């Protein structure tokens, strides 16, 4: 299908023909400003001036009334035709009305404005332009009519009220402007409207009227900023009593408001200006007690500055404490389970000494229970309870509250999963200090039944031993060993208790039971304690038998050395005067060393270092015996120290070597020499045979 004017349509053109090559953007190389700057308005004006004559619109000169009537008729037809097509376009109505105004036909212009308002009367700009036209042409009553209708239909558009009032004030109609303000205030506008009314009255020195408007203003907008403006108004007029009354009424009504901090700061600064420093201090303190700490940052800063300027040392310290208190409140609000912050906060309150506040902070702190029942989360938290109980006992000296704190803490801890022996012991010790031994025993018994721990058993036994209750101590040791039969410490202490009571057989029986246990946590300490016990009792044969039993279980180097030393010192001080007995002791010690050397040579040849250490101890013992000792006996068995290198296994990289000390014993040297001689003899025999061949 072809296009108009006989031109072919684009459908018959090829794709390449329809492609349009866009010009490439030119690069501006010189970016310095031109010496002569030309604005866009100048460019447009020159374009209009340089239009060709046939393109320019013709200039029409009207010299005849008939011709003027024809021009007006034609123009009105154009506007009416345009309005019939785009009735909703407000700019067309405005142009039409202004054209009629330019023709000085105000009735027709007014008619156009009225028709435009019928289209959309909610557009306040149309009312403003309509009224401006009436005022510009000094039709005051018509303008009043327009303004009156506008504010009646659109009472929430503040600009209409401002313009209306401004017109009346410019005309000197103060009473009329005041009447318009009253009509406006009946709609309860925002703060700026009320303040404009107050400024209007103050321009004419109507202070009482302004005060009455302020009263209505703070009732309509009961906000902190409104009351502060009211008080400053009274202060500006020299009415200090009235200003103070405004602040006091505001505090009564808005003490719990979110913006109360600003009110208290303004009130305190007002009293400070009036040289009433005590009043200002009371206001600051009242505000700090009633405003939440999270909203009192500026208040604390102002209070500290006030105290630094007017206060004494105590007042400054109180202000600084208050500021630190605010910081701690902010931190615990952000992270309530940061127990270190609670400790610092509590320490601050304890330095002040207000019991109620200290207890309040403690209660708030312990209310933040750890989220999970795992001991690592509770280890720091539990000290809050401990500090709370110690404070109630030592500082507040309220024993019932102390007992309640311990009781509530023990209820809170999940003893089935974990427990804290410290809490049980502190609670029991508190009851002992109160001379309530029965209650302390009940607490410790409950602790053993619900959450037995080594520390609880040890402390409970210590308490009963302090009071001399031996039977209770024995029962506790029995319970202790029933709960933990592998605990060598408990066995040793139980035997030590019986020995201190000269119950030798009981102690020996306990040691026998202990070493017969299938599993022990530190058996070497238990055996040592048993051996020391027998030595202290002078039972050398029993001790020797114990060493033999121990060697049946372990052949450790320390056991051999200890056994040999025992044999060397087995006799009492009379041995020093009896040479034969001393020789017997030395011979027994040598026998032990011989057995040890034989064991390490035959059964554990890889333990060369232990064998060398054993020989060193033997040599030292021989030296200590003086003339009776035979040092050469041991020196013949001492090894040679050889420094060697060995390869270290490395996962990546080149092989590495380390140095170590190896020991070469005499029998190993002889064996090596024999092997060398044997190899030499074999080599010589082979050589002789080859020569004969």
């Amino acid at each position: 299908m072809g296009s108009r004017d006989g031109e072919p349509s684009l459908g018959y053109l090829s794709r390449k023909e329809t492609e349009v090559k866009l010009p490439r953007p030119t690069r501006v190389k010189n970016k310095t400003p031109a010496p002569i700057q030309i604005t866009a308005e100048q460019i447009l004006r020159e374009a209009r001036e340089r239009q060709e004559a046939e393109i320019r619109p013709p200039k029409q000169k009207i010299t005849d009334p008939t011709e003027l009537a024809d021009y007006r008729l034609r123009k009105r037809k154009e506007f009416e035709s345009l309005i019939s097509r785009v009735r909703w376009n407000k700019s067309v109505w405005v142009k039409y009305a202004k054209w009629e105004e330019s023709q000085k036909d105000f009735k027709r212009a007014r008619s156009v404005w009225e028709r435009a308002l019928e289209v959309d009367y909610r557009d306040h700009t149309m009312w403003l332009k309509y009224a401006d036209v009436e005022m510009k042409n000094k039709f005051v009553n018509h303008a009043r009519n327009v303004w009156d209708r506008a504010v009646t239909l659109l009472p929430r558009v503040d600009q209409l009220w401002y313009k209306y009032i401004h017109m009346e004030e410019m005309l000197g109609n103060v009473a009329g402007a005041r009447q318009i303000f009253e009509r406006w205030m009946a709609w309860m506008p925002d703060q700026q409207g009320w303040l404009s009314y107050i400024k209007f009255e103050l321009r004419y020195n109507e202070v009482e009227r302004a005060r009455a408007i302020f009263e209505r203003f703070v009732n309509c907008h009961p906000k902190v900023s409104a009351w502060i403006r009211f008080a400053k108004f009274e202060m500006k007029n020299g009415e200090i009593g009235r200003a103070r009354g405004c602040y006091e009424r505001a505090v009564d009504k808005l003490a719990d408001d979110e913006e109360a901090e600003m009110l208290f700061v303004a009130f305190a600064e007002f009293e400070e200006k009036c040289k009433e420093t005590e009043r200002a201090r009371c206001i600051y303190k009242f505000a700090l007690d009633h405003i939440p700490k999270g909203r009192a940052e500026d208040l604390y800063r102002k209070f500290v500055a006030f105290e630094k300027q007017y206060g004494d040392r105590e007042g400054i310290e109180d202000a600084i404490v208050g500021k630190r208190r605010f910081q701690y409140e902010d931190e615990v609000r952000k992270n309530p389970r940061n127990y270190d912050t609670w400790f610092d906060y509590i320490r601050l309150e304890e330095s002040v000494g207000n019991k109620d506040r200290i207890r309040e902070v403690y209660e708030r702190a312990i209310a933040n229970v750890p989220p999970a029942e795992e001991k690592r989360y509770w280890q720091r938290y539990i000290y809050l309870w401990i500090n709370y109980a110690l404070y109630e006992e030592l500082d507040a000296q309220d024993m019932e509250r102390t007992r309640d704190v311990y009781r509530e803490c023990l209820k809170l801890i999940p003893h089935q999963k974990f427990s804290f022996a410290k809490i049980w012991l502190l609670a029991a010790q508190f009851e002992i200090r109160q001379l309530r031994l029965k209650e302390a025993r009940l607490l410790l018994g409950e602790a053993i039944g619900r959450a037995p721990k080594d520390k609880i058993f040890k402390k409970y036994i210590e308490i009963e031993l302090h009071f001399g209750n031996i039977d209770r101590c024995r029962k506790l040791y029995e319970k202790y060993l029933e709960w933990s039969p592998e605990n060598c410490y408990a066995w040793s202490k139980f035997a030590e208790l019986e020995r201190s009571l000269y119950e030798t057989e009981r102690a020996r029986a306990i040691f026998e039971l202990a070493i017969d246990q299938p599993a022990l946590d530190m058996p070497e300490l238990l055996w040592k304690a048993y051996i020391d016990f027998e030595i202290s009792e002078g039972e050398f044969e029993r001790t020797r038998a114990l060493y033999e039993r121990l060697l049946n279980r372990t052949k450790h180097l320390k056991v051999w050395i200890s056994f040999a030393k025992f044999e060397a010192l087995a006799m009492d001080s009379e041995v020093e005067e009896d040479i034969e007995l001393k020789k017997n002791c030395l011979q027994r010690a040598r026998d032990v060393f011989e057995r040890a050397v034989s064991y390490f040579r035959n059964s554990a040849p890889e333990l060369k270092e232990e064998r060398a250490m054993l020989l060193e101890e033997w040599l030292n013992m021989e030296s200590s015996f003086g003339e009776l000792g035979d040092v050469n006996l041991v020196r013949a068995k001492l090894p040679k120290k050889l420094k060697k290198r060995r390869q270290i296994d490395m996962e990546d990289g080149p092989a590495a070597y380390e140095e170590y000390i190896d020991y070469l014993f005499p029998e190993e040297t002889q064996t090596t020499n024999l092997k060398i001689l044997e190899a030499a003899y074999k080599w010589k025999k082979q050589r002789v045979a080859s020569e004969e061949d």
Side-chain angles (χ1 to χ4, degrees):
M1 186 176 65
S3 62
R4 279 181 284 178
D5 300 331
E7 294 180 357
S9 65
L10 292 176
Y12 293 98
L13 297 176
S14 65
R15 185 173 180 180
K16 291 185 178 179
E17 291 174 339
T18 56
E19 289 179 352
V20 178
K21 291 186 178 179
L22 297 175
R24 293 178 62 185
T26 58
R27 178 182 292 180
V28 179
K29 295 183 179 180
N30 187 4
K31 296 184 179 180
T32 57
I36 300 173
Q37 297 291 321
I38 301 175
T39 62
E41 290 80 3
Q42 289 175 322
I43 295 172
L44 293 174
R45 186 171 63 251
E46 289 179 3
R48 284 196 299 271
E49 289 174 355
R50 294 178 182 179
Q51 283 180 348
E52 296 181 2
E54 59 272 13
I55 300 176
R56 292 181 189 173
K59 292 183 179 179
Q60 184 179 5
K61 292 183 179 180
I62 299 173
T63 57
D64 188 10
T66 306
E67 191 176 357
L68 177 61
D70 291 341
Y71 164 72
R72 287 176 175 173
L73 181 61
R74 186 174 66 255
K75 200 70 174 173
R76 287 189 182 108
K77 283 183 179 180
E78 290 176 1
F79 277 118
E80 291 292 340
S81 174
L82 191 60
I83 286 170
S84 64
R85 284 187 281 114
V86 286
R87 182 181 177 84
W88 47 268
N89 195 335
K90 299 180 181 63
S91 62
V92 176
W93 290 103
V94 173
K95 288 179 182 178
Y96 190 8
K98 287 187 175 181
W99 181 82
E100 293 290 358
E101 180 191 358
S102 67
Q103 300 301 313
K104 304 299 181 181
D105 195 343
F106 297 108
K107 287 185 178 180
R108 286 183 177 275
R110 217 170 270 126
S111 173
V112 173
W113 283 115
E114 294 293 337
R115 289 166 62 195
L117 291 174
E118 286 179 1
V119 174
D120 185 9
Y121 71 91
R122 289 171 294 184
D123 185 4
H124 68 282
T125 58
M126 298 294 290
W127 291 100
L128 291 172
K129 292 175 181 178
Y130 187 9
D132 283 341
V133 169
E134 299 289 3
M135 289 191 297
K136 184 171 65 177
N137 293 286
K138 299 182 180 179
F139 295 115
V140 177
N141 288 330
H142 281 285
R144 281 182 181 138
N145 183 24
V146 172
W147 288 125
D148 192 76
R149 291 161 58 200
V151 298
T152 303
L153 293 172
L154 303 172
R156 293 298 178 188
V157 181
D158 295 345
Q159 193 176 4
L160 298 174
W161 292 102
Y162 284 126
K163 290 282 188 178
Y164 193 6
I165 293 164
H166 178 67
M167 184 192 78
E168 295 293 351
E169 195 171 358
M170 293 297 292
L171 294 171
N173 187 10
V174 178
R178 186 176 291 117
Q179 188 177 4
I180 296 166
F181 263 122
E182 289 294 334
R183 287 176 59 191
W184 187 15
M185 295 305 110
W187 288 96
M188 295 184 180
D190 59 3
Q191 292 192 23
Q192 195 57 42
W194 288 95
L195 295 175
S196 299
Y197 192 9
I198 292 166
K199 288 179 182 178
F200 167 78
E201 296 293 354
L202 291 177
R203 281 198 295 272
Y204 300 100
N205 296 322
E206 295 288 347
V207 178
E208 289 299 326
R209 286 180 178 272
R211 184 174 290 117
I213 296 167
F214 258 120
E215 291 288 347
R216 294 161 59 193
F217 172 40
V218 295
N219 288 329
C220 179
H221 296 281
K223 295 182 179 180
V224 170
S225 58
W227 282 103
I228 292 175
R229 286 180 180 275
F230 192 6
K232 286 183 178 179
F233 161 76
E234 297 291 0
M235 184 70 179
K236 187 176 180 181
N237 290 287
E239 298 288 343
I240 296 175
R242 288 178 180 270
R244 185 175 288 118
C246 288
Y247 279 119
E248 291 173 353
R249 289 162 59 195
V251 169
D252 291 339
K253 293 182 178 180
L254 303 174
D256 298 328
D257 192 78
E258 292 183 357
E259 298 180 348
E261 178 192 6
M262 185 169 62
L263 174 63
F264 284 114
V265 170
F267 194 3
E269 289 178 348
F270 161 76
E271 296 292 354
E272 190 177 345
K273 288 179 183 178
C274 297
K275 309 299 181 184
E276 296 285 348
T277 55
E278 286 301 321
R279 282 178 174 268
R281 184 175 288 109
C282 292
I283 292 166
Y284 276 123
K285 290 183 178 179
F286 177 82
L288 292 173
D289 291 337
H290 285 77
I291 294 180
K293 303 300 183 294
R295 302 204 308 260
E297 183 176 359
D298 188 49
L299 187 64
Y300 276 112
R301 189 172 62 254
K302 296 279 187 181
F303 183 39
V304 172
F306 171 80
E307 287 293 345
K308 287 180 180 178
Q309 185 175 0
Y310 299 102
D312 52 4
R313 181 176 179 179
E314 184 178 354
I316 294 172
E317 288 179 355
D318 290 341
I320 293 172
V321 167
K323 187 175 182 180
R324 288 177 60 192
R325 185 181 291 129
F326 164 74
Q327 293 172 352
Y328 286 136
E329 286 288 345
D330 187 44
E331 290 181 17
V332 298
R333 186 179 67 254
K334 292 178 181 176
N335 186 5
R337 290 191 175 89
N338 186 356
Y339 302 120
D340 291 329
T341 305
W342 283 110
F343 285 125
D344 295 337
Y345 193 4
I346 291 165
R347 199 175 298 116
L348 172 69
E349 295 296 347
E350 287 179 348
S351 66
V352 176
N354 189 337
K355 288 185 180 180
D356 294 334
R357 188 181 287 275
I358 293 169
R359 284 171 176 160
E360 177 195 353
V361 177
Y362 267 121
E363 291 293 337
R364 289 169 56 198
I366 62 179
N368 297 295
V369 182
E373 291 185 351
E374 295 183 22
K375 192 168 184 176
R376 59 194 178 98
Y377 296 117
W378 288 64
Q379 285 174 341
R380 195 69 177 144
Y381 167 74
I382 206 68
Y383 278 96
L384 289 171
W385 287 94
I386 294 172
N387 288 2
Y388 192 9
L390 293 176
Y391 166 76
E392 292 291 352
E393 181 184 1
L394 301 177
D395 295 343
Q397 295 185 354
D398 191 338
M399 304 310 162
E400 285 301 321
R401 287 183 69 92
T402 307
R403 190 171 289 111
D404 292 339
V405 170
Y406 280 123
R407 188 182 299 116
E408 292 300 321
C409 179
L410 290 172
K411 285 182 182 177
L412 185 65
I413 298 171
H415 299 287
Q416 295 80 9
K417 295 185 177 181
F418 60 86
S419 185
F420 293 93
K422 185 181 289 292
I423 291 293
W424 291 104
L425 295 176
L426 286 173
Q429 288 168 347
F430 165 73
E431 296 294 351
I432 291 172
R433 287 193 293 273
Q434 302 303 312
L435 305 179
R436 293 160 58 95
L437 185 58
K438 182 179 178 181
E439 284 74 8
R441 282 174 173 154
L442 289 174
L443 274 171
L444 291 172
E446 184 181 357
I448 290 173
R450 297 180 64 184
K453 286 179 174 289
D454 289 330
K455 194 181 293 184
I456 296 174
F457 278 110
K458 293 174 184 177
K459 198 66 179 178
Y460 195 1
I461 292 168
E462 181 184 340
I463 291 170
E464 295 295 353
L465 191 60
H466 180 74
F467 287 112
N469 297 320
I470 304 302
D471 291 335
R472 285 182 176 272
C473 292
R474 285 173 175 154
K475 289 180 180 178
L476 286 172
Y477 271 120
E478 291 173 4
K479 292 287 185 182
Y480 193 0
L481 294 169
E482 285 179 8
W483 172 68
S484 179
E486 73 281 355
N487 194 327
C488 293
Y489 173 85
W491 288 106
S492 301
K493 287 294 180 180
F494 193 6
E496 185 180 338
L497 171 67
E498 297 295 352
R499 182 191 169 196
S500 65
L501 298 172
Y502 301 101
E503 294 285 350
T504 307
E505 293 301 324
R506 277 179 173 270
R508 187 173 288 119
I510 292 167
F511 274 123
E512 288 293 335
L513 284 173
I515 63 176
D516 288 338
Q517 295 299 318
L520 293 171
D521 53 2
M522 290 186 290
E524 64 277 6
L525 296 181
L526 183 63
W527 281 93
K528 184 178 183 303
Y530 193 5
I531 290 168
D532 291 343
F533 164 73
E534 294 293 359
I535 293 173
S536 64
E537 294 293 328
E539 298 288 345
F540 298 118
E541 291 299 327
R542 288 181 177 274
T543 307
R544 194 170 289 112
L546 272 178
Y547 271 117
E548 293 294 342
R549 291 167 65 186
L550 181 57
L551 286 172
N552 290 332
R553 296 196 178 193
T554 177
K555 298 290 193 302
H556 197 273
L557 172 65
K558 290 184 178 180
V559 178
W560 289 109
I561 294 174
S562 177
F563 191 9
K565 287 182 177 180
F566 160 72
E567 292 292 1
L569 303 174
M571 297 300 174
D572 55 9
S573 58
E574 295 180 356
V575 174
E576 297 178 1
E577 301 176 358
D578 193 339
I579 301 300
E580 291 299 326
L581 290 177
K582 199 169 184 179
K583 288 182 179 180
N584 291 335
C585 293
L586 179 58
Q587 187 58 44
R588 286 180 177 175
R590 284 173 179 165
D591 293 340
V592 174
F593 275 120
E594 288 287 352
R595 289 170 60 192
V597 170
S598 176
Y599 166 74
F600 282 112
R601 183 176 59 245
N602 299 324
S603 301
E606 70 278 0
L607 301 177
K608 293 184 178 182
E609 187 175 0
E610 284 79 356
R611 183 179 170 188
M613 291 170 64
L614 181 69
L615 291 170
E616 289 290 339
E617 289 290 338
W618 189 0
L619 182 62
N620 293 335
M621 187 199 71
E622 294 288 350
S623 301
S624 65
F625 273 86
E627 295 179 356
L628 295 178
D630 188 359
V631 179
N632 295 325
L633 178 65
V634 185
R635 283 179 178 170
K637 300 181 180 182
L638 289 175
K640 291 182 180 180
K641 290 185 179 180
L642 303 176
K643 187 179 288 187
K644 294 185 177 181
R645 296 179 67 197
R646 58 187 171 193
Q647 186 176 351
I648 304 174
D649 294 334
M650 302 291 289
E651 294 182 0
D652 298 325
Y657 295 88
E658 67 172 357
E659 291 185 351
Y660 70 99
I661 301 298
D662 195 9
Y663 297 91
L664 185 63
F665 290 92
E667 64 271 13
E668 294 178 353
T669 306
Q670 294 175 2
T671 305
T672 306
N673 292 336
L674 288 174
K675 288 182 179 179
I676 293 172
L677 290 173
E678 184 180 353
Y681 176 74
K682 186 177 181 181
W683 172 78
K684 186 176 181 182
K685 186 177 180 181
Q686 290 177 354
R687 186 175 179 181
V688 170
S690 61
E691 287 178 356
E692 289 178 355
D693 293 340

